[in-house]
């Protein structure tokens, strides 16, 4: 007698949410059954509310067996690694897993600056997002309702640009970095199907989530993607559903990183690492602004508490490695600029 199928996971999200697309693609690849609810579409009022309203929101049992709302894609991926067998998205080698975690964080926290910037700075992108985002929640209703919703959504999101780090000072840095990421990722994909080799890691899904918007929805970065890296545009469509991929253990990258992956780590060290360190210092000192230099240009924004935690978590993971594995990671990061992340071990800004 066969075992009963597991109950599908229930989660709520939206097509315009990069992290929703990230997690949905992870579940598809891992062949984990799920039930997807579109945020704002109605139909369920019996679900618990999350302490922080973020998408996607998963509804999972806590230690007492009671359903609770759970958010944050990175720890959710690790939770599901423990709860569902097979088709892992975390490399088994701790050194490779650290590189995957670093690139996942970069995708989630730096690429999202580009996503938010392009969507809410350029008129064509503002217009498309304003018109489409409310209609993803529902398509029925009078047109006047959607026009008002477009105005409300656009005004709210544009007002948040400063929070995520997009402004007149940082815009050129963000755009130059996005172009380089496209070029570097394009070059990497000439040799491997994914960041982590010929099977996807969590980092691949982090990149994918942001690129569903940057490469395949918002007009300005989509045009740039098609010009610079059509290979990346096609990759996004492929990663949307990898349920048919049959990975093997040999498909992971080894500890000898390719030149193309080291080049991508160089971009992490060039732009994201100096921001993380400056942000942590601003948070520690209680400063009202993060002010630093990134890629030879000024950077200024409000301190971002969550990204302060990102640096702490990266250092904690580094500190959890064995001495030999830390030495191996040091060798891989040497010369990329990422070594500054762990220069003080697992502590200090």
């Amino acid at each position: 007698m066969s075992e009963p199928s597991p109950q599908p996971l229930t989660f709520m999200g939206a097509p315009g949410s990069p992290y929703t697309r990230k997690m949905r693609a992870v579940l598809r690849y891992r062949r984990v059954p799920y039930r997807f609810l579109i945020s704002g579409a109605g139909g369920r009022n019996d679900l618990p509310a999350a302490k922080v309203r973020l998408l996607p929101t998963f509804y999972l049992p806590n230690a007492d067996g009671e359903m609770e709302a759970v958010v944050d894609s990175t720890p959710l991926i690790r939770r599901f690694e423990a709860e569902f067998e097979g088709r892992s998205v975390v490399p088994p080698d701790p050194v490779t897993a650290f590189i995957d975690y670093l690139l996942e964080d970069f995708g989630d926290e730096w690429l999202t600056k580009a996503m938010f910037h392009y969507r809410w700075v350029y008129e064509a992108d503002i217009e498309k997002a304003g018109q489409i985002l409310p209609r993803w929640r529902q398509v029925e209703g009078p047109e006047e309702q959607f026009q008002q919703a477009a105005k409300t959504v656009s005004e709210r999101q544009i007002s948040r640009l400063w929070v995520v780090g997009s402004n007149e000072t940082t815009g050129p840095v963000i755009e130059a970095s996005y172009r380089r990421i496209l070029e570097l990722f394009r070059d990497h994909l000439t040799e491997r199907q994914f960041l982590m080799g010929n099977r996807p890691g969590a980092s691949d899904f982090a990149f994918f989530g942001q690129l569903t918007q940057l490469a395949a929805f918002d007009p300005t970065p989509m045009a740039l993607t098609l010009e610079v890296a059509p290979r990346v545009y096609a990759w996004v469509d492929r990663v949307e559903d990898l349920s048919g991929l049959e990975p093997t253990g040999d498909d992971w990258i080894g500890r000898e990183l390719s030149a193309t992956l080291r080049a991508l780590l160089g971009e992490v060290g060039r732009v994201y690492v100096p921001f993380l360190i400056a942000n942590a210092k601003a948070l520690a000192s209680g400063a009202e602004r993060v002010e630093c230099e990134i890629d030879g240009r000024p950077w200024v924004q409000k301190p971002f508490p969550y990204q302060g935690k990102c640096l702490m978590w990266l250092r904690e993971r580094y500190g959890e490695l064995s001495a030999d594995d830390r030495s191996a990671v040091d060798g891989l990061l040497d010369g990329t600029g990422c070594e500054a992340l762990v220069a003080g071990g697992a502590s200090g800004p």
Side-chain angles (χ1 to χ4, degrees), residues 305-318:
Y306 183 84
Q307 291 172 346
K309 293 179 181 179
C310 290
L311 177 57
M312 177 186 71
W313 291 328
L314 278 163
R315 287 176 167 170
E316 285 178 352
R317 286 189 173 267
Y318 176 80

Side-chain angles (χ1 to χ4, degrees), residues 144-220:
E144 296 79 10
Q145 166 186 316
F146 292 113
Q147 294 308 317
Q148 181 55 48
K151 183 174 183 293
T152 300
V153 168
S154 298
E155 289 177 350
R156 181 174 68 247
Q157 298 294 71
I158 291 169
S159 72
R160 295 186 65 247
L161 280 170
W162 177 260
V163 177
V164 300
S166 168
N167 52 64
E168 289 184 0
T169 300
T170 63
V173 179
I174 292 170
E175 294 189 15
S177 179
Y178 181 59
R179 175 181 279 271
R180 286 194 302 271
I181 290 167
L182 286 175
E183 293 169 345
L184 294 167
F185 195 24
R186 173 200 65 199
D187 294 347
H188 180 72
L189 291 174
T190 64
E191 301 178 1
R192 300 286 190 275
Q193 294 185 58
F194 306 103
L195 288 167
M196 288 295 103
N198 286 321
R199 62 182 292 168
S203 58
D204 286 282
F205 292 105
F207 271 55
F208 163 78
Q210 303 300 326
L211 289 168
T212 60
Q213 313 304 307
L214 284 160
F217 180 81
D218 295 306
T220 301

Side-chain angles (χ1 to χ4, degrees), residues 7-13 35-40 44-62 65-71 76 79-80 83:
Q7 288 296 313
L9 295 174
T10 297
F11 73 105
M12 182 176 292
R35 180 182 293 110
F36 176 59
L37 310 174
I38 296 179
S39 176
R44 292 294 298 269
N45 56 13
D46 60 330
L47 297 171
K51 293 179 181 178
V52 181
R53 296 186 62 184
L54 296 173
L55 297 179
T57 300
F58 280 77
Y59 303 96
L60 303 168
N62 61 21
E66 299 173 344
M67 297 301 289
E68 63 178 353
V70 184
V71 299
L76 277 165
R79 173 173 176 167
F80 296 153
E83 294 180 356

Side-chain angles (χ1 to χ4, degrees), residues 9-290:
L9 295 174
T10 297
F11 73 105
M12 182 176 292
S17 155
Y19 305 101
T20 296
R21 301 288 287 274
K22 173 188 177 182
M23 290 305 298
R24 193 167 64 178
V26 167
L27 297 179
R28 284 173 171 166
Y29 168 66
R30 298 204 62 210
R31 298 173 182 166
V32 174
Y34 65 86
R35 180 182 293 110
F36 176 59
L37 310 174
I38 296 179
S39 176
R44 292 294 298 269
N45 56 13
D46 60 330
L47 297 171
K51 293 179 181 178
V52 181
R53 296 186 62 184
L54 296 173
L55 297 179
T57 300
F58 280 77
Y59 303 96
L60 303 168
N62 61 21
D64 298 322
E66 299 173 344
M67 297 301 289
E68 63 178 353
V70 184
V71 299
D72 202 340
S73 63
T74 297
L76 277 165
I77 283 175
R78 275 73 193 172
R79 173 173 176 167
F80 296 153
E81 286 284 315
E83 294 180 356
F84 300 95
E85 294 184 1
R87 303 176 67 82
S88 173
V89 297
V90 175
D93 173 55
V95 172
T96 309
F98 181 84
I99 299 300
D100 180 53
Y101 186 88
L102 173 57
L103 288 170
E104 180 187 7
D105 191 62
F106 176 70
D108 282 344
E109 304 300 329
W110 179 264
L111 257 182
T112 201
K113 293 182 185 297
M115 192 284 296
F116 212 91
H117 168 80
Y118 279 110
R119 177 166 291 176
W120 301 112
V121 166
Y122 289 96
E123 286 301 322
D125 304 72
I126 293 170
E127 174 66 19
K128 183 177 181 181
Q131 292 297 326
I132 300 303
L133 267 58
R135 288 173 169 83
W136 270 328
R137 293 184 171 218
Q138 65 179 80
V139 293
E140 73 279 12
E143 188 60 25
E144 296 79 10
Q145 166 186 316
F146 292 113
Q147 294 308 317
Q148 181 55 48
K151 183 174 183 293
T152 300
V153 168
S154 298
E155 289 177 350
R156 181 174 68 247
Q157 298 294 71
I158 291 169
S159 72
R160 295 186 65 247
L161 280 170
W162 177 260
V163 177
V164 300
S166 168
N167 52 64
E168 289 184 0
T169 300
T170 63
V173 179
I174 292 170
E175 294 189 15
S177 179
Y178 181 59
R179 175 181 279 271
R180 286 194 302 271
I181 290 167
L182 286 175
E183 293 169 345
L184 294 167
F185 195 24
R186 173 200 65 199
D187 294 347
H188 180 72
L189 291 174
T190 64
E191 301 178 1
R192 300 286 190 275
Q193 294 185 58
F194 306 103
L195 288 167
M196 288 295 103
N198 286 321
R199 62 182 292 168
S203 58
D204 286 282
F205 292 105
F207 271 55
F208 163 78
Q210 303 300 326
L211 289 168
T212 60
Q213 313 304 307
L214 284 160
F217 180 81
D218 295 306
T220 301
M222 180 168 65
L224 179 63
T225 305
L226 288 169
E227 172 196 340
V228 172
R231 190 186 302 262
V232 172
Y233 181 95
W235 181 86
V236 173
D237 283 339
R238 286 166 57 88
V239 178
E240 183 77 53
D241 188 342
L242 292 173
S243 58
L245 187 71
E246 297 294 348
T248 71
D250 293 335
D251 290 332
W252 293 114
I253 60 169
R255 292 192 177 190
E256 296 292 328
L257 301 186
S258 66
T260 57
L261 194 56
R262 278 188 56 82
L264 270 166
L265 287 172
E267 182 64 17
V268 179
R270 181 176 186 168
V271 293
Y272 187 46
V273 170
F275 164 73
L276 278 181
I277 293 173
N279 182 63
K281 289 179 178 177
L283 290 168
S285 67
E288 295 184 358
R289 290 152 66 98
V290 177

